[in-house]
Each structure stands twice: as structure tokens, then as C-alpha cells.
Amino acid sequence: MNNFSSRTLWRFGYAARLLKTNHFRTAASNTSFPAVWMLLAQYSGRIPGLFVVVKKNSFFTMPETVEDKANLELYSPHPDVRGMTLLNREAFKRTVVVPVLKVKKEIVNALLKSLKHTVLQRPGLKRVVEDPEDEDNRLVILDPHKIPEFSLGEPEQEVLKQLNVYPEVSKYNLELTYENFKSEEILRAVLPEGQDVTSGFSRVGHIAHLNLRDHQLPYRHLIGQVIIDKNPGVTCVVNKTNIIDSTYRNFQMEVLAGESNLVTKVKENNIAYELDFSKVYWNPRLSTEHSRIIELLKPSDFLFDVFAGIGPFAIPAAKKKCHVFANDLNPESYRWLLHNCKLNKVDKKVKAFNMDGRDFLLGPVREELSKEVQLLKEDHKVSFHIVMNLPALAIEFLDVFRHLLAGEPCSTASLPTVHCYGFSKHNDPAKDIQERAEASLGISLDGRCSTYLVRNVAPSKEMLCISFQIPAEVLYKRPCPVEAKPASKRLCTSKDFSEEKLLS
């Protein structure tokens, strides 16, 4: 099986668990318009409001290939905007010819209701306009690609007969302006033909975050302004200019359009956060994953968040009455973590740290686990969860768990569960993540772990989460004595002792 096929099958296998994202994308129009009407527009004058009666069945049906090509032409801006780098909204004006019905104004509402699938459905465009020749009439604009050849079908003719409307289709010069075009239509008209059009972005409060390709960079300021114009609430557009820094998980960015204020507010899973997008990491596409982990927690559970950021795991866990220890190496993330804990009134429930992740595990996490595990009773209902969301590096930290604690566990249920994130470009990403985790831990995780596809980062790059309880023979410094417990209650076997030697 080739690389493409195996990766595709793997992704389909995880389709039910794909992360839903707040990734915003403007849909392209699917409206079609016979090309011959464009020619008619040139010869019927360009005065908005002029319409000419066209007899039924007077136009031949356009070949399908020509009509498909014309689908994009009805709502395409004027061709002269091609190559524009400085936005000139006036240059987008153009006049197109559309079919209309001439009806008495008293029956307009009834007609719109009866022909709701045939009339023009285009945001920002009126479906009904005044008749320049008769103030008692109105012109109802029809969807061009549903009225081929300017001819009504039998169902439409039957509706008009019932409403006592003469089934005569006219043509009308409709003026389109910059406001009538969607962002993708504008960018498709501006960028060189055949090149990818960017209309998707991540929304972080009032900020739209783009990852432009090299061929789009000459048009970046125009792209930014179009996104502001077409997306209410967006007042700043930025473009990432380098890869995410693995140390602090932030990146350099350029403000393309709008204000330069990068301090913003976001809301995720009914919790408010504030942050400086230029100095901390925030990804709105991880909302579902944050929620998935929080749903695993019960009140009184312990959450150790090794790479906490501004608190998307820590704060909802604290609101769920869990014991939370949250850490981040980035001083700015730590500052905003404290700020957001206060903002959400959980500052007394979250112990925050500004340390290297390895030091956090070897210090506060080890200390708290050692203390709490000793207090647990046989019938305890408390679980320990360790979240490690630093996909570029987190797996490399797993070796910290080797002999992290001394003694022996009171039960397998007391063993902490790790949720570790990683990227993979492998044909079988789940297998790749597991093998890398096993190499770091020094033990097999077969039958002891689960992998979850978080999201597709790039065409050949996946983000996954591997979850597992840390095996006792990894976590504890000494193996549990075989003689000390009945066979039915042993946590270690002779096989475990051989694995223990491998760990030392």
C-alpha cells in the first residue's frame, strides 16, 4: 500500500473523532450564469434598472462545459482588478444581466413564498426592486442558473398561473459593488489565475490569524483589509512570519490590516480568557480537545498541567473542583495564567508555577504525588491526570517518569494517567506516537494505552494524544516484593523484574 493510501485509510478510521474547529472559511458561490448573458450585458446598455423583455424559449441551452465555466462569472468582480495590491473598492463595480418577473406589488410576498427556490438568494442583494416604468409593479429577481434560457419550467409557470401573473421573463441590468462580493470571490479575482486563494483564518477575539503562502505575500495587505471588511468583529489581521518557537510556543507576526492591538479576549467552552496573542500560545482549534480531557475528570481529582499556557485545561478543571497544579516556562504565559485564574475566580484553587516542564515534574509533581498517594485508601475514588500539551517536544519528557517515586503503589488505580501530545508525519501516526513514547519510558505500552487523533495540522502532519497509566515498574524506584503479597494482588511479575533491570 502506498504512503497516500495508508495515511488516508488511517485518517478515515479516526474520522468519528476528528476535532471540530473554530476555523472560519468563506464558502465560494455555487451560482451559475450562462456566458451568453454576459454578452447581452454589453449590448443592452449599462444603466442599472434597464430591462428588456425576452420571449420564452428564445435562447438555446448552453453546453454544460461552458455553463460550468460561467458559474464563477456571475459574481466575479471586474477583470481589471487582477493583480491589485492596494485595495480600491470602486474598481470592483460591474453590471450583470439577470432574469426578472414583472408583477403587481400586492402579490410580491405570495410570489416570493411560492418561488422561494427560484428567486435570487444572495446576501446583500435585493430580491425585489422597483419597476422604473410602472410604480405599481415590482421586479422580482430570479436566480440565473435556475432559469436557463430565460425560460420558466412547468412548475414555475403553474405557480404564476395560480397567481394570475403573465409568465414572461425579462432581463435586468443588476449593478454589483464591492459590498456584494464574498471575500473568496474578491481574492480569486485579484490573485494571479491558478494560484491558491486564502479565505480561511483562525479567529482569536478581534484578531484574524493567517498563514499566507509565499505567492500570496505581495497581496497580504489587501487580503487583510478584505478579511476585516467581510467579517464583522475582526479589527486586526496578522500573518505568521516564522514557525512556532518550541521554547515559549509563540511566533513572530506581521499586522496586515487594522489596529495593532494584540491583547484580546476569547471565550471557550463558556469560560473567558484574556491574552496577548503576540506573546503567548492560543489555538481556537483545540477547544474540543480541551473539553474532551476535562470530561475525563471528576471533582477532587488531581490535574498536573505541565505546559499550561494561559489555562485552557487548568481553569475549567479548577471550576470542576479538581486540585490543579499548572506550569508554563513562558513568563508571559504564566502572567496571563494568573490573570485568567483571577478573572474566572479560581485563583485560590490553582497552584501556578513558572518552571521548565522537567523541573516541574521532578519537583512539585513528584512531591504532591508522593504525599497524596500515601494518603489514599483501598477504596479511594481520586484519580491523578498529567497533561503534557507541547506536541513538538512533550514525548521527550516522558523519561522523567522513570523511578519518579519511591516505594510501591497502594493499588493500580492510584497510578497517574498521562495525556501526552505529539506530532507525526508517519504513515501510521498512532503506531509512531506509541513507539516513541515506549522508547522514552523504556517499556512496552501494548494493551496499556490509547491514541486519539486531535487534528490534521498539515497534509502530511497529524497531532495526536496518547493516554496511558504510568506502569508501576516505570514509576516506582523499587519493584514490589514478590513475597510480600499474595499472587492475586501482586503488581509486578518475574517479567516485570527483567523489565526493571532494563530501566535501571
Side-chain angles (χ1 to χ4, degrees):
M1 184 179 294
N2 60 38
N3 292 353
F4 174 79
S5 298
S6 58
R7 172 171 290 276
T8 302
L9 288 175
W10 184 87
R11 289 177 62 190
F12 273 123
Y14 275 79
R17 301 190 293 181
L18 283 173
L19 173 65
K20 293 181 180 179
T21 67
N22 294 322
H23 181 72
F24 294 80
R25 185 172 295 278
T26 305
S29 169
N30 63 354
T31 308
S32 62
F33 188 73
V36 67
W37 295 348
M38 298 301 176
L39 299 175
L40 286 173
Q42 299 176 16
Y43 298 104
S44 61
R46 299 188 177 276
I47 304 173
L50 175 65
F51 71 99
V52 180
V53 173
V54 181
K55 300 298 182 181
K56 291 185 293 180
N57 301 321
S58 59
F59 286 94
F60 61 93
T61 303
M62 299 297 295
E64 185 173 348
T65 53
V66 176
E67 185 172 347
D68 288 344
K69 183 179 179 181
N71 287 352
L72 299 176
E73 294 182 2
L74 173 60
Y75 297 125
S76 295
H78 196 283
D80 289 348
V81 303
R82 180 79 65 192
M84 178 187 293
T85 56
L86 182 64
L87 183 61
N88 176 10
R89 296 174 181 84
E90 289 296 314
F92 286 82
K93 285 185 178 180
R94 70 171 301 181
T95 301
V96 295
V97 180
V98 293
V100 295
L101 284 173
K102 186 173 184 177
V103 300
K104 295 294 183 183
K105 61 183 180 181
E106 292 82 9
I107 63 168
V108 165
N109 290 335
L111 182 67
L112 291 176
K113 185 176 180 180
S114 300
L115 294 181
K116 61 183 179 181
H117 298 300
T118 307
V119 297
L120 182 68
Q121 302 285 347
R122 175 77 176 184
L125 287 180
K126 294 180 179 180
R127 294 180 296 173
V128 181
V129 295
E130 292 185 358
D131 182 349
E133 297 181 352
D134 190 341
E135 62 180 16
D136 293 328
N137 289 336
R138 294 293 183 267
L139 303 179
V140 177
I141 303 177
L142 305 178
D143 189 334
H145 85 285
K146 294 181 180 179
I147 308 296
E149 306 177 24
F150 278 66
S151 177
L152 295 169
E154 290 185 9
E156 290 82 9
Q157 292 189 45
E158 183 61 31
V159 168
L160 297 182
K161 183 177 180 181
Q162 293 176 6
L163 295 174
N164 198 28
V165 175
Y166 185 63
E168 186 174 60
V169 180
S170 305
K171 71 185 178 79
Y172 175 81
N173 282 356
L174 178 66
E175 183 179 82
L176 300 177
T177 66
Y178 174 82
E179 286 69 27
N180 301 131
F181 297 113
K182 300 176 182 179
S183 59
E184 186 166 335
E185 294 163 346
I186 292 171
L187 299 182
R188 187 188 296 114
V190 169
L191 268 63
E193 285 189 86
Q195 294 191 356
D196 293 337
V197 173
T198 293
S199 58
F201 56 89
S202 294
R203 177 83 178 260
V204 183
H206 67 279
I207 302 167
H209 168 216
L210 301 174
N211 290 321
L212 295 180
R213 299 182 180 182
D214 289 344
H215 72 269
Q216 298 162 338
L217 293 178
Y219 308 92
R220 63 189 184 278
H221 297 295
L222 180 145
I223 292 172
Q225 189 58 58
V226 170
I227 288 176
I228 287 179
D229 291 344
K230 299 300 179 178
N231 295 275
V234 172
T235 58
C236 173
V237 178
V238 300
N239 180 48
K240 184 169 72 174
T241 57
N242 71 342
I243 62 172
I244 293 177
D245 179 83
S246 296
T247 305
Y248 285 165
R249 287 199 296 179
N250 53 16
F251 49 83
Q252 298 298 315
M253 62 183 71
E254 177 188 10
V255 176
L256 303 182
E259 58 181 314
S260 297
N261 175 25
L262 295 176
V263 175
T264 189
K265 298 179 181 180
V266 296
K267 196 167 187 178
E268 179 182 275
N269 300 322
N270 297 316
I271 295 177
Y273 301 90
E274 295 179 353
L275 61 129
D276 185 336
F277 190 55
S278 66
K279 296 179 179 178
V280 304
Y281 178 79
W282 180 265
N283 190 337
R285 297 187 181 98
L286 295 179
S287 172
T288 300
E289 178 62 11
H290 296 152
S291 178
R292 183 182 74 89
I293 296 297
I294 297 304
E295 288 175 2
L296 301 176
L297 307 177
K298 304 183 304 294
S300 297
D301 280 354
F302 283 76
L303 175 70
F304 302 96
D305 193 350
V306 185
F307 312 106
I310 67 168
F313 287 115
I315 291 173
K319 282 185 167 289
K320 204 170 181 177
K321 299 184 179 178
C322 295
H323 305 282
V324 179
F325 293 72
N327 171 72
D328 203 280
L329 177 63
N330 183 350
E332 285 294 324
S333 294
Y334 172 71
R335 183 171 74 86
W336 286 102
L337 171 63
L338 295 176
H339 174 82
N340 286 308
C341 285
K342 290 181 180 179
L343 180 67
N344 289 281
K345 298 180 173 58
V346 295
D347 49 308
K348 305 297 182 185
K349 300 177 182 178
V350 176
K351 293 185 179 180
F353 301 85
N354 180 208
M355 307 171 66
D356 176 79
R358 190 172 292 269
D359 295 335
F360 175 64
L361 289 166
L362 291 170
V365 175
R366 169 192 271 169
E367 180 181 340
E368 193 66 22
L369 281 176
S370 299
K371 180 179 68 175
E372 292 299 329
V373 167
Q374 297 299 322
L375 299 176
L376 291 178
K377 298 179 181 180
E378 289 284 340
D379 61 344
H380 82 286
K381 296 182 180 180
V382 174
S383 298
F384 301 93
H385 294 262
I386 302 173
V387 174
M388 304 175 69
N389 184 17
L390 185 63
L393 295 173
I395 290 178
E396 299 176 15
F397 285 73
L398 292 178
D399 67 301
V400 175
F401 295 118
R402 296 190 187 195
H403 301 162
L404 184 66
L405 303 182
E408 57 185 90
C410 64
S411 70
T412 56
S414 68
L415 297 172
T417 297
V418 173
H419 308 282
C420 183
Y421 294 82
F423 294 129
S424 177
K425 295 182 178 180
H426 197 273
N427 293 333
D428 188 344
K431 180 181 178 182
D432 176 48
I433 289 289
Q434 179 177 332
E435 289 178 347
R436 287 159 54 198
E438 290 172 340
S440 193
L441 291 167
I443 196 170
S444 172
L445 292 176
D446 280 346
R448 312 194 207 192
C449 70
S450 62
T451 55
Y452 185 90
L453 176 63
V454 177
R455 70 186 187 97
N456 176 240
V457 179
S460 59
K461 184 177 181 180
E462 315 287 353
M463 177 180 175
L464 300 94
C465 175
I466 181 169
S467 297
F468 58 90
Q469 273 194 303
I470 308 173
E473 57 270 31
V474 173
L475 185 62
Y476 285 87
K477 188 170 295 185
R478 291 190 296 271
C480 51
V482 176
E483 299 82 3
K485 294 188 178 183
S488 61
K489 293 187 177 180
R490 284 185 300 173
L491 293 177
C492 302
T493 65
S494 57
K495 179 176 181 292
D496 297 327
F497 284 116
S498 62
E499 288 175 338
E500 177 65 23
K501 291 179 182 177
L502 292 174
L503 292 170
S504 20

